[in-house]
Structure formats: C-alpha cells, structure tokens
Amino acid sequence: MRLVFDLDFDAKRISGRFVLGANYAGGAGFAHGGIIAVVLDEAMGKISKLTEEKAVTAELNVVYRKPVPVDREIVVEGWQEEEKGRNRFRVGEIRDAEGNLLARGTARFVAIDQEHFGKVRAAQQKV
C-alpha cells in the first residue's frame, strides 16, 4: 500500500491524503472493510514516529460510518489521546474531501523497548 503520512510534531498528529484505487474495493465497489481497518491501524501506528518509540497494536476497534470510496481522495488522521504506563490509546479517522466522517478507529498500542524488538527479530531469522 505504501501509505505516506505527514507528521505534525507541534499538534502531535499525523495525516495523509490517498486515493486507494479499485484493487482495494469490496463487493459493493467501496473500500473493503479489512482495508479500512489496515489504513486506520497504519495511521495510529505512525503516531509512534512522533516520539521515536516502538509500539505494537494490542486492540483495535473500527466503526464503519459510511462507505469509503476507492476512486476519490480520502483524508486520514491519527492522534494519541492517552498514555498509561506502556499503553498508548490512539484514534484514527477517515474522512472524505468534504470532511464527512467515514470510519473511526480506536486502538490500544503497547510500547516495546528496542532491545526486545531486536531479540524478536533475531529469533525470527533463526526459524
């Protein structure tokens, strides 16, 4: 997919504008629900770049409000609402060019230290 997001360090938000394309359409010709979840998860995950920490998705909830077009530009935004210990509570939204809310995701991410990531990658390479 190669989604590129702009980072706003002052507002502590990320945003991107995309046209998904017909390859991501579901049966009704709009974006497949799984693709919508991927886009929201990716947006919320990119928030970690604002603090240069690593965090993984632990829980993800998506509310599908309106069909997401695959042939028109969508606006995707994400931000963090709360931090408790290693938990990062984040929000992502998909809107159309007119600003109408199409889908909203909420997620809990868990911050992982760099050393742990290195150990996991080394173990995976041995398999």
Side-chain angles (χ1 to χ4, degrees):
M1 243 181 179
R2 298 187 184 182
L3 302 176
V4 178
F5 292 93
D6 295 320
L7 305 175
D8 184 335
F9 288 89
D10 295 329
K12 298 183 180 176
R13 294 173 81 95
I14 63 91
S15 63
R17 294 177 170 270
F18 317 103
V19 175
L20 293 173
N23 289 340
Y24 299 106
F30 293 98
H32 186 282
I35 296 301
I36 294 168
V38 167
V39 169
L40 290 168
D41 184 52
E42 189 69 12
M44 291 183 281
K46 292 292 187 220
I47 295 166
S48 293
K49 290 191 173 277
L50 295 171
T51 58
E52 295 186 25
E53 77 176 354
K54 300 287 185 190
V56 296
T57 311
E59 297 176 26
L60 174 65
N61 181 54
V62 178
V63 176
Y64 301 91
R65 303 280 308 266
K66 295 180 179 179
V68 175
V70 294
D71 59 347
R72 288 181 288 158
E73 185 176 73
I74 57 172
V75 179
V76 182
E77 292 186 301
W79 63 92
Q80 183 166 293
E81 288 198 325
E82 189 177 2
E83 184 175 312
K84 286 185 180 177
R86 293 176 42 216
N87 293 297
R88 311 292 184 253
F89 298 92
R90 298 177 176 175
V91 177
E93 293 182 342
I94 298 175
R95 295 180 181 272
D96 62 19
E98 292 76 37
N100 298 305
L101 182 62
L102 306 178
R104 186 171 205 266
T106 55
R108 179 175 63 90
F109 282 72
V110 177
I112 307 293
D113 65 41
Q114 297 287 352
E115 184 180 326
H116 179 74
F117 261 177
K119 288 178 184 178
V120 169
R121 286 188 183 170
Q124 287 175 341
Q125 290 174 353
K126 290 180 182 178
V127 175

